[in-house]
Amino acid sequence: MKLLIQSDDYGISRAVARGIVYGIQYGLIRNTGMFTNMPWSEECAGWIRPYLDRIAVGIDLNISTGY
């Protein structure tokens, strides 16, 4: 049996993004959803790019935070 840990809200803040990348690096997180409407989302996308072969990334619908 495998445990799949889903992390939501990648990119809602830089701190959340760093924590998710940490979880990916240590094999805890296998997929995440990204908030693409935040001012720093492009920067956060760069942080996760080296791990795209290890995880699945989706886009979260965010209508309450950001622009």
Side-chain angles (χ1 to χ4, degrees), residues 9-18 34-47 62 65-67:
D9 305 344
Y10 182 82
I12 195 167
S13 72
R14 288 179 177 100
V16 168
R18 290 283 188 194
M34 183 172 182
F35 278 13
T36 58
N37 67 324
M38 303 306 284
W40 42 82
S41 61
E42 190 172 341
E43 177 184 359
C44 293
W47 298 342
N62 173 17
T65 305
Y67 56 88

Side-chain angles (χ1 to χ4, degrees), residues 16-39:
V16 168
R18 290 283 188 194
I20 291 172
V21 168
Y22 179 87
I24 294 167
Q25 288 173 328
Y26 289 93
L28 301 171
I29 296 173
R30 305 285 302 269
N31 56 15
T32 190
M34 183 172 182
F35 278 13
T36 58
N37 67 324
M38 303 306 284

Side-chain angles (χ1 to χ4, degrees), residues 43-63:
E43 177 184 359
C44 293
W47 298 342
I48 204 169
R49 190 167 286 121
Y51 306 102
L52 292 179
D53 61 333
R54 297 163 69 175
I55 62 162
V57 178
I59 298 174
D60 284 347
L61 177 61
N62 173 17
I63 59 173

